[in-house]
Amino acid sequence: MTYTVNGNRFDEEPEPGQCLRTFLRSLGCFGVKKGCDAGDCGACTVWLDGDPVHSCITPAFRADGREVTTIEGLGSVGSLHPMQRQFRDAPGFQCGFCTAGMIMTSATFTEAQKKDLPRALKGNLCRCTGYRGIEDAVMGVVGVESAAPGKAVGASVGAPAANDVVTGRAEFTMDTHIDGMLHLKVLHSPHAHARIVSIDKRAALAVPGVQRVYTWEDVPRRRFTTAIHTDHLVDPDDTYILDDTVRFVGQRVAAVLADTVGAAEEGCRRIAVEYEALPAVFDPEEAMADGAPQLHGAEDPFARDPVRNILLEIHSHIGDVDAGFAAADVIHEGTYSSPRVQHAHLETHGSIAWMDDGRLNVRTSSQSPSIAKVKLAYLFALRPDQLRVFCKRVGGGFGGKQEVISEDLVALATLDTGRPVSFEYTREEEFTTASPRHPMTLTVKLGAKADGRLTAFQVRNVSNTGAYGNHGGETLYAGGAAVMLYRCPNKKYDAYSVYTNTVPSGALRGYGMTQPAFAVESAMDELARALHLDPLELRRRNIVRPGEPLVAMHEGPDDVAFTEDGLQQCIDLVDGALARTADASSPGDGWLVGVGVASSLHETAPPTEHISEAWVTLGDDLVYEVAVGTVEFGEGTSTAHVQIAAHQLGTTPSRIRLVQSDTDRTGFDTGAFASAGLFVAGNAVLRAANAVRDRILEFAAAHTGVHLVMCSMDDDGVVCGDQRVSLAELVALARARGIRFTAARKAYGSPRSVVSNTQGFRIAVHRVTGEIRVLYSVQATDAAVVINPAQVRGQVEGGVAQGIGFALTENYQVDADGAMVNPNLRNYRIPAYADVPRTEVLLVYSADSVGPMRSKGMAECCINPVAPALANALHDATGVRYRALPLTPERIFSQLSESQSVQTA
């Protein structure tokens, strides 16, 4: 067969049944991405004779004799296609994994299609942007700005990798091939709870191409936690690489290593496993009851109460809640539940390992290569110098890649065979084995005086941590932020993280605060109605004020700086925005219109230790190299780090070269999560850049004989009084004396500050079908000093879109045996372009941050108030209170009738 790909002819024969996507990638067209392998996401879109097709569901043989165009053939950095330029300049991407497919689809649009983007973009999904940036790109709206020397902070400069992203040259984790590479696949448990009696490998090893079959007997018997934190003691070491007991449907049973993916998959099918089924428990309340099946039992030294399957329980109180309820004029109590939610980052988990000069190299899609290295060194008894872990660009994370769940197996196989090994998750494996958001059920009881002042605040939180405890304890503590938001002299917080025979829960944007925010903000809305108060007014009367202690679980001192009333300003801005848009028309007859609001508070770094080290060096090429361990996966820290360095060094972003996320080339970095990529790593970059600047200025002052206070940086030199010395001259003089302009600085996640935000919605609900349409969405957020306005807007829009999915469309369905029944994007249903409204983003500029340049990380907090604001708007429209998510049309319809006034669903 003959294929013409991007103008080049290939005489190749695809494998029987091979799809066009994998065939093109075998030819080196790595811009063709895998997001689903089911025609659902559009990340693999290419042109076939000029028409866009999903190459993952197009047989390769159909391209025989036809013209195939991938993103690499659409344009180059020196000659961009207009749509590539528009996506760069909007900007129309964040992580960039979906971007090639978006561009290949959008570049074919007619004017008519541009006017009907909900239909035209229905085959392309994005998990990051919220789609507004994509719409701007398609329409040619320019958002990227240039920055003058020393004026980078505050400008919407473009991402350093923008040209590479829009041309398909940006390397993601799996975008490489190494000669002799083996492929690893995993056999998963069909049982929710079972003991492995025996595993027969013989038939699997007989499959042509199969090299190894690994079981629990072949791996180091070392307990660890897959969760990533600097302090590993905050998570339980309750996991083995492979185990002889399985505790959820989907748990690893064996790993097969083979020459091809197909051979490895066939090997998995041929493994014969004998199981002894054990009793299983799926509900956390049942798991805590006497006589419930024990998941870990006495062998788990980390569980608070292993007999009752309790990983961790918290019991704290401030004041006397009983006295507070006795003093209340109105008491509200309700129970609210939030389901599992999957990250659905379009790049699935994956890692590649190989040996180089006796050292193990691991290239992975991790949010923390530094800690992944620590864990691998522990598991395989390696010295730090025997191991390198690094990331290329990562295709979305949202907390899902704050785990070590692919790196361990490739390391095992490469250390065993000495050969390169690749392991890439399927989309089904993402849904069934990766760590979703913790399902939580919260009972909130509030007491208030007639004027709205809270007298008692009581919360009981039961969190389903699943079969293993990764992140189970930390997310339970994090939920206290929803309680911290309001002043009340009497508070009580009881919480339980419970083991069940379900997929282990993990970190997801909002990290333990999204679920309590839904419960508390819904309860506050119900209390406001019982008091006949406006919901925003009730919040104004009770929100914590600057200078007051942020009290959730204890009254001890903390390291949080809280000196400005950003939350009050957020509430006022949303109140004004909703009033300003009150005349927005409803869809017509049969629709009920309602308004809802909710607020949240979020600390700008986690309370556990967070560390980052940055190195800044002025090179001989007169470009400043900034090396920092933080990973870029769409949160925008790379751009912010470049801006901070350029600003402090008096230059432009074009003169900054970024090196990142490589344990051989960068210092230690806890990781890009909990908004610390900007707040902590940004401070490290700031300090290192300042140190280099000061060293250059001191050298220039000594060289010119001008007092230091008279010296300042400009783009490529130093001005000393009425003299100007070029950087080239200073570098040459310094080199002659053995001096380098370089510095390393560290930053820590303390002290911290607080981000606050308020979300408002106006929605319409169809009284017959239960369909919800968002008529208006607005979020005000305390952004402090904004490093990059376009990025802040994009993060908020993306967070709101993800929150809308959490609240309305995403439904993680599990059957009676503990197995997920809809493990694909089509049936799980993350929001598409048509599902997401444009969100008006209003920024509050406070100065109470201790972040770099007084900025605050914005990537995480914006999701927290979205679901409760939607639920509150739904109640306002229908008079019916829905206390369980997601708010699907069938759930809404089942409770609606013309005669109903107020009831609880």
Side-chain angles (χ1 to χ4, degrees), residues 229-241:
H229 291 107
T230 300
D231 182 0
H232 71 94
L233 297 177
V234 302
D235 307 301
D237 289 336
D238 58 6
T239 305
Y240 292 109
I241 297 173

Side-chain angles (χ1 to χ4, degrees), residues 743-757:
R745 292 293 185 272
K746 295 178 181 179
Y748 301 86
S750 181
R752 301 172 291 155
S753 54
V754 173
V755 178
S756 50
N757 49 4

Side-chain angles (χ1 to χ4, degrees), residues 661-674:
S661 55
D662 186 333
T663 60
D664 269 11
R665 303 182 63 194
T666 60
F668 184 88
D669 187 280
T670 296
F673 54 85

Side-chain angles (χ1 to χ4, degrees), residues 382-393:
L382 299 173
R383 299 190 312 271
D385 64 303
Q386 293 177 299
L387 176 62
R388 173 197 181 200
V389 179
F390 70 101
C391 301
K392 291 294 187 178
R393 196 171 180 90

Side-chain angles (χ1 to χ4, degrees), residues 25 83 184 273 337 396 405 502 793:
R25 287 179 65 84
M83 192 56 68
L184 188 144
V273 185
S337 62
I405 57 176
T502 58
R793 188 197 75 180

Side-chain angles (χ1 to χ4, degrees), residues 24 40 48 55 109 190 229 343 363 432 443 507 636 685 702 766 787 803 821 829 833 854 902:
L24 290 170
D40 295 335
L48 206 54
S55 61
F109 285 170
H229 291 107
H343 308 79
R363 167 172 166 152
T432 58
T443 298
V685 170
H766 198 277
I787 303 293
V821 299
R829 272 263 295 139
Y833 175 89
R854 294 197 175 275
V902 176

Side-chain angles (χ1 to χ4, degrees), residues 31-113:
V32 184
K33 304 301 186 194
K34 184 202 89 169
C36 65
D37 276 336
D40 295 335
C41 74
C44 67
T45 303
V46 301
W47 291 353
L48 206 54
D49 290 339
D51 295 323
V53 299
H54 288 184
S55 61
C56 70
I57 56 172
T58 302
F61 74 83
R62 290 190 180 171
D64 181 25
R66 302 173 71 180
E67 293 279 346
V68 179
T69 307
T70 74
I71 189 70
E72 293 93 340
L74 190 64
S76 62
V77 173
S79 181
L80 293 178
H81 183 281
M83 192 56 68
Q84 290 174 312
R85 186 167 55 251
Q86 288 169 213
F87 267 77
R88 181 195 65 186
D89 294 344
F93 67 90
Q94 287 179 22
C95 83
F97 196 80
C98 74
T99 304
M102 285 285 182
I103 290 173
M104 296 306 292
T105 298
S106 303
T108 66
F109 285 170
T110 64
E111 290 303 314
Q113 287 175 303

